Amino acid sequence: MDIQIIISVLGLLGIGGIIGGYLQHLWNQKGETELRIQSLNENKYRSTLVFMRCILKPENVNQFHIEDSNIQNLKDDKEVKEYAKKKLIEFYYHSLLYASDEVLMKIKEFMRNPTETNFMETAISMRKDLWKKGTKIDLNALSLE
């Protein structure tokens, strides 16, 4: 009888170990997937912010590493600004798939009225969306202007 109890306990530990290992695998896989999604969204948001800055300060286009050969062929600030607006519109429509409602509304507001304040509000919304945290920093404290 004692040997049967020991065999039963060892059997339960083996099954429990297998189940526990499987659950841990699922948990780790979920975490890796969330990190990949967050990284993708961060890159998309970064590109969106770059084109928003090009709208505000087209003369600074060469300060950004933009993997778009078309932008290097533009002749003046007006062309850069128009190109950046077109790119921002496309980013906006792509954002419908992954961005939070607040981010979408902030991008739309920036497109209607491109100001430094609207840029900062959009960036803060993106920050909240990416890191799932609020911010206590005042908008005026963040602005460089």
Side-chain angles (χ1 to χ4, degrees), residues 89-104:
I89 289 168
E90 290 308 311
F91 277 112
Y92 173 74
Y93 285 117
H94 292 185
S95 297
L96 295 171
L97 294 173
Y98 60 86
S100 69
D101 294 349
E102 182 180 358
V103 170
L104 291 171

Side-chain angles (χ1 to χ4, degrees), residues 21-79:
Y22 179 71
L23 291 175
Q24 185 174 8
H25 169 73
L26 290 177
W27 179 264
N28 289 339
Q29 191 174 16
K30 180 183 176 195
E32 290 172 9
T33 301
E34 288 174 357
L35 285 175
R36 273 185 279 160
I37 290 170
Q38 183 176 8
S39 177
L40 288 171
N41 286 348
E42 183 177 355
N43 289 333
K44 292 172 188 174
Y45 283 165
R46 185 176 288 116
S47 295
T48 302
L49 291 174
V50 165
F51 284 107
M52 289 170 70
R53 289 304 298 167
C54 288
I55 290 169
L56 290 174
K57 303 279 186 183
E59 66 274 12
N60 295 341
V61 69
N62 293 324
Q63 295 179 2
F64 301 108
H65 176 72
I66 302 172
E67 294 182 16
D68 186 339
S69 59
N70 294 328
I71 205 156
Q72 303 307 323
N73 299 327
L74 301 176
K75 294 177 181 63
D76 59 27
D77 291 351
K78 183 179 177 185
E79 286 184 8

